[in-house]
Amino acid sequence: MIDAFARSQNYRVGIYVADKQRNPFNVKRAKEHVVIPDLNIEQICKFAKRYKHKIDFGIVGPEKPIINGIRDIVEKEIDIPLICPTKEYALEASKVAQRLLFQRVVPETNPKFKVFNPKDYTVTAVKREVNKWLNEIGNEVAVKPDRPAAGKGVGVWGDHFNTREELVDHFMSNIEYGPVIIEEKIEGEESSFQAFCDGKHLVPLPETRDYKRAFDKDKGPNTGGMGSYKDVGDILPFMTTVDKEKEIDIVNKVFRELRRRAASTDLRGIPFYDAFIHTSAGPKLLENNSRPGDPEIQNILPVLKDDFVDICYKMLEGNLIGVNLETKATVVTYKVPPNYGGFVDTFPERVKTDEANKPVSLVQAEKLAEKYKDAIRIYPASTELRENGNIYALRSRAVSVVGIGNSIHEAREISLEGTKEITGGSLWNRTDIASREHIRKSIEHMEKLRLSKR
Ligand code: GLY
């Protein structure tokens, strides 16, 4: 988003950034930059207050401050309008509330699910009820705590547990912290739906595909997302236009339900990054977020034809009814440190130990912008600019490389070339993001699922 603001042609933008660390990209472009490691909303509000006469509006990326009510506090205390929903509509705050909302409005998009609330059961009773539920729907399930991070978090059959006993153990380690959902594991191909929203209108954006698994061929643990792709048009190669229409219909139904009780601006922002799974029975909604997808939003913003500042003003005015994008494909590949996604434990021989403590150099990769006439973007993420002027990778996804092309393949080649030019920190990346092979498998999988329905 910082890049999209900095590239504005219609405005001279001064950017004030509250960041988790001294991100080199943001520091360079910000008029004022402050580090607030835990993104504490009172601290962010204090920072905004200092510059309130110079700030027209704010926009929020990560979910934590949205869930904690950053919009409510900043708008109330300093009257700076924010682009993100109010605390009440940060839907990802409760997985249970989400499922129940979908059940009221779009039940066909929910998998079979059951909510277990610790208040309703003794330990023995809850185990009995869980086993009863599993006897009904089978062991192939996902276990999802209502709120993240208390116990072991989301667990999926085949990934986190392989026996009923392990499954129940996983469930029990979470139920002591609050409600837990057990829902059927859905088979299909995943896509990310995103939309801009002014509180009244939803403007769907082209579909993207996120790669959650750490390693090539979708092996290894789930991560925040190792990369993503978008095709030249609105849908992905394994989707049909009907799939996209169904998604839009589902999201609109949820949106209309929220609007029945929300004030017209409460939902303003980018409240809809929805993870869908395309199944033999149509798209199923995995989750709904009030923030953009990371990396998925990086597939979109670099190919906006409209000025992002104008889009933001329209979101604030409540008159955003469409956006224009270039007909380009984009591929994002994240470079991540050795301890991310269990890489160092799985492939110790592939870690360049002599590079591990060296600073990350982006110079060569950034030079590719000349060769590719700006069809490449290098975005440092979990990296820090230190006093010595060097950039160091931290613990999470370190640098993303966005390739922009006339086809997915072209965009992928650019993105991969960029990753090769980033040195230091012993960073690694998946090499099959948006590969022909991976996309072919997705297409075949969907064909098989569609046929199985007939
Ligand atoms: N890439 C998935 C997410 O943003 O949560």
Side-chain angles (χ1 to χ4, degrees), residues 145-165:
D146 183 37
R147 282 160 211 279
K152 290 184 191 161
V154 173
V156 180
W157 179 265
D159 293 342
H160 303 92
F161 33 78
N162 290 296
T163 63
R164 168 84 64 104
E165 199 185 347

Side-chain angles (χ1 to χ4, degrees), residues 210-389:
D210 183 23
Y211 283 66
K212 291 237 164 48
R213 299 302 186 119
F215 310 137
D216 283 1
K217 296 193 164 62
D218 293 326
K219 301 268 193 276
N222 272 328
T223 67
M226 299 295 291
S228 54
Y229 72 86
K230 159 193 151 356
D231 207 344
V232 290
D234 282 348
I235 59 170
L236 298 169
F238 57 83
M239 285 173 68
T240 64
T241 48
V242 174
D243 291 334
K244 181 78 177 179
E245 281 161 18
K246 281 186 187 161
E247 286 186 350
I248 294 173
D249 186 51
I250 289 166
V251 180
N252 264 318
K253 281 181 180 154
V254 174
F255 182 57
R256 278 201 296 274
E257 170 69 9
L258 295 174
R259 280 201 67 203
R260 278 193 325 120
R261 52 193 173 97
S264 71
T265 62
D266 279 359
L267 300 168
R268 171 215 300 151
I270 317 182
F272 293 100
Y273 144 51
D274 286 5
F276 276 101
I277 298 257
H278 297 269
T279 73
S280 56
K284 303 267 177 191
L285 200 41
L286 268 190
E287 61 179 46
N288 178 304
N289 296 275
S290 62
R291 60 168 172 87
D294 178 10
E296 296 95 313
I297 199 65
Q298 298 174 47
N299 291 100
I300 305 291
L301 298 183
V303 289
L304 282 177
K305 271 195 197 159
D306 301 327
D307 194 305
F308 189 52
V309 180
D310 281 325
I311 292 176
C312 289
Y313 275 126
K314 285 185 182 168
M315 283 199 262
L316 293 164
E317 288 156 7
N319 59 9
L320 184 75
I321 47 175
V323 290
N324 294 296
L325 289 104
E326 293 172 43
T327 46
K328 295 277 187 191
T330 52
V331 172
V332 182
T333 312
Y334 255 121
K335 292 208 75 161
V336 301
N339 53 10
Y340 191 75
F343 185 77
V344 68
D345 296 329
T346 316
F347 306 108
E349 73 288 355
R350 282 164 57 185
V351 177
K352 296 180 195 155
T353 35
D354 54 327
E355 271 203 21
N357 295 321
K358 287 194 185 150
V360 174
S361 172
L362 307 175
V363 179
Q364 289 306 115
E366 281 166 348
K367 276 195 186 145
L368 288 175
E370 287 159 36
K371 174 175 168 187
Y372 287 115
K373 298 193 173 53
D374 212 26
I376 186 166
R377 307 286 166 89
I378 312 294
Y379 295 137
S382 180
T383 54
E384 184 174 61
L385 177 64
R386 302 229 170 113
E387 291 299 318
N388 62 8

Side-chain angles (χ1 to χ4, degrees), residues 187 279-281 445-454:
E187 197 204 336
T279 73
S280 56
H445 188 202
M446 273 323 296
E447 279 170 1
K448 207 168 128 199
L449 289 173
R450 287 190 190 106
L451 276 174
S452 72
K453 197 184 116 187
R454 289 190 192 151

